[in-house]
Amino acid sequence: MAPSTITTALTHPLARWTRGAAQVTAMDREASFSSDLPKDADFVPVFSARTFQYGDVVLVRERRDKTRVRLIGPLTPEGAVGNSRGQMNHSALVGKSPRDKVDFPNGQPGYILHEPSLEEYTLLAGRHCTPVYPKDASAIVSLLGIHPGDRVLDAGTGNGALALHLALYARPEEGSVGPCIHTVERREDHHRLAKKFVAGYRRGLLSPHIAFHQGMLSEILPTLPVPFDAAVLDLPDAHLQLQYLAPMVKPDGHVLCYVPHMSQVMECVHAGQESGMGMDRVVEVGWREWEVGRTRVRTQGEGDSGAGVWMCRPEHRPAGHTGFLVLLHNRRHAPKGSGDEEERMKR
Ligand SMILES: C[S@@+](CC[C@H](N)C(=O)[O-])C[C@H]1O[C@@H](n2cnc3c(N)ncnc32)[C@H](O)[C@@H]1O
């Protein structure tokens, strides 16, 4: 194995390495072994994965049909989970680790447990409006070029799915405090549910980075700290909001409108131009899953040959259209000598 591979494995934050009874942290190991490969057979990596607790959301995969996955939780002392084979209390999951198996009290095979990724969490959770799908959310983060320390507007909040993706990247820089994402939602019920949804992801890991505001975007905007480094509009009338938003975005800062119809794309480009915003790009994100696995070949008249062959092909189900990503930039120049202008020149 190449030394670089070992070093990567050793730097995983959950890694603990053990040789006999002695345990040392990954960083200790990296210091003493980065140029020195482990040779003995009993040198085994042990990962101190965390265990599930009440309040956690768990991804469960059915042991009988591993394609069936769902989210359970947040785990509560009164909660239960089950299917046609049986039922178990949430308490049966508490204290277990990712990849542990739990069976029903009647002996029937139950579930394999996992910690959901952000993609799984946003795709599998219940929703009250159409979220920004992970394929689009990751492209949005990339197109906007979001960094730690950036201040980003997200309107409307909806489920909070995009806010979570934005918060992964626009977290405060080291030493600074306070939220970086300002998310605005006109409906009280959506606002409330989104807060809960964000808090349910990895025990509220990203909640401190998100400020939730309830009201119409045009009314909330003047109350927010500005300027924004970037903004996303996922609203039915995104084009009507650009006039309010344009003065709040840094010179050369980006605004991205997420809209399902081409007629809305044209409206956003036109309204952007009228508000001093130029169009950079219009993008539709493609995402094609493949089926890769072994299967049996059946030959006519001869039955099942029994031979396993690799099947590698795009999935039957096509990924349908979700939305267009319309990337605009603020054409405004900052006044000479201002901090904004210096920042613009650095980019
Ligand atoms: C499609 S959903 C947003 C989904 C969200 N981006 C997500 O990833 O979960 C649109 C949301 O915008 C809200 N909304 C519509 N017009 C608004 C406005 N003018 N100001 C604030 N929120 C608005 C709606 O109530 C709805 O919850």
Side-chain angles (χ1 to χ4, degrees):
M1 204 184 310
S4 59
T5 317
I6 288 288
T7 306
T8 310
L10 286 166
T11 53
H12 192 290
L14 288 179
R16 294 283 185 282
W17 292 76
T18 176
R19 193 202 306 243
Q23 280 216 346
V24 289
T25 66
M27 281 174 78
D28 296 337
R29 271 291 169 195
E30 195 184 7
S32 57
F33 279 92
S34 54
S35 59
D36 183 15
L37 299 184
K39 295 188 181 70
D40 17 5
D42 65 344
F43 191 89
V44 186
V46 176
F47 284 82
S48 58
R50 72 181 190 83
T51 55
F52 296 113
Q53 304 299 329
Y54 288 122
D56 282 342
V57 174
V58 184
L59 184 138
V60 296
R61 184 179 298 280
E62 297 209 359
R63 292 190 61 197
R64 273 283 163 87
D65 178 358
K66 297 205 173 52
T67 62
R68 292 174 73 98
V69 290
R70 57 192 270 220
L71 294 179
I72 303 296
L75 302 180
T76 61
E78 309 77 34
V81 49
N83 56 26
S84 56
R85 287 196 190 86
Q87 234 196 355
M88 66 179 82
N89 294 329
H90 283 181
S91 57
L93 279 57
V94 169
K96 298 279 191 255
S97 300
R99 294 217 66 81
D100 277 355
K101 298 181 175 106
V102 284
D103 290 335
F104 294 113
N106 62 11
Q108 287 288 320
Y111 303 107
I112 304 170
L113 311 182
H114 304 271
E115 191 159 40
S117 66
L118 183 51
E119 190 215 20
E120 290 160 338
Y121 186 72
T122 51
L123 276 180
L124 296 172
R127 59 186 65 150
H128 43 273
C129 61
T130 309
V132 173
Y133 290 95
K135 75 175 177 77
D136 294 323
S138 44
I140 288 172
V141 166
S142 170
L143 287 169
L144 292 176
I146 291 173
H147 296 87
D150 280 356
R151 185 185 291 141
V152 183
L153 175 80
D154 168 47
T157 312
N159 311 277
L162 181 63
L164 274 174
H165 279 92
L166 295 171
L168 260 187
Y169 294 87
R171 47 183 57 219
E173 273 174 330
E174 224 172 285
S176 64
V177 284
C180 291
I181 310 297
H182 290 268
T183 185
V184 183
E185 171 57 55
R186 72 174 175 196
R187 284 180 56 158
E188 197 280 328
D189 54 343
H190 286 191
H191 166 78
R192 187 168 31 82
L193 289 164
K195 272 182 161 174
K196 209 169 141 194
F197 177 73
V198 166
Y201 182 66
R202 303 221 172 177
R203 301 185 194 165
L205 177 72
L206 299 173
S207 297
H209 309 326
I210 304 174
F212 292 86
H213 307 272
Q214 201 235 311
M216 296 297 285
L217 179 62
S218 54
E219 289 162 14
I220 298 289
L221 263 179
T223 70
L224 299 182
V226 288
F228 293 110
D229 295 276
V232 185
L233 297 177
D234 179 14
L235 310 161
D237 58 358
H239 64 292
L240 298 181
Q241 309 300 327
L242 289 170
Q243 56 185 315
Y244 307 114
L245 184 56
M248 311 276 189
V249 176
K250 279 189 179 173
D252 223 20
H254 282 115
V255 174
L256 191 141
C257 302
Y258 184 65
V259 289
H261 303 290
M262 187 41 78
S263 55
Q264 292 172 298
V265 172
M266 306 312 294
E267 284 172 341
C268 288
V269 173
H270 185 66
Q273 279 168 350
E274 297 215 316
S275 309
M277 310 201 83
M279 191 200 74
D280 280 349
R281 301 154 78 174
V282 177
V283 176
E284 185 184 10
V285 180
W287 183 286
R288 192 149 71 142
E289 300 267 347
W290 279 54
E291 283 177 48
V292 176
R294 284 186 89 79
T295 189
R296 294 256 163 95
V297 187
R298 285 177 196 279
T299 322
Q300 209 175 5
E302 294 170 19
D304 187 342
S305 71
V309 295
W310 280 99
M311 175 194 69
C312 308
R313 65 177 180 203
E315 280 201 343
H316 290 303
R317 245 178 328 142
H321 171 70
T322 50
F324 295 108
L325 281 56
V326 186
L327 186 67
L328 308 169
H329 67 271
N330 193 351
R331 285 205 303 248
R332 183 170 61 93
H333 284 243
K336 288 264 181 297
S338 73
D340 276 2
E341 170 70 3
E342 283 157 27
E343 182 132 342
R344 193 175 81 86
M345 299 305 283
K346 272 192 259 158
R347 286 190 183 182

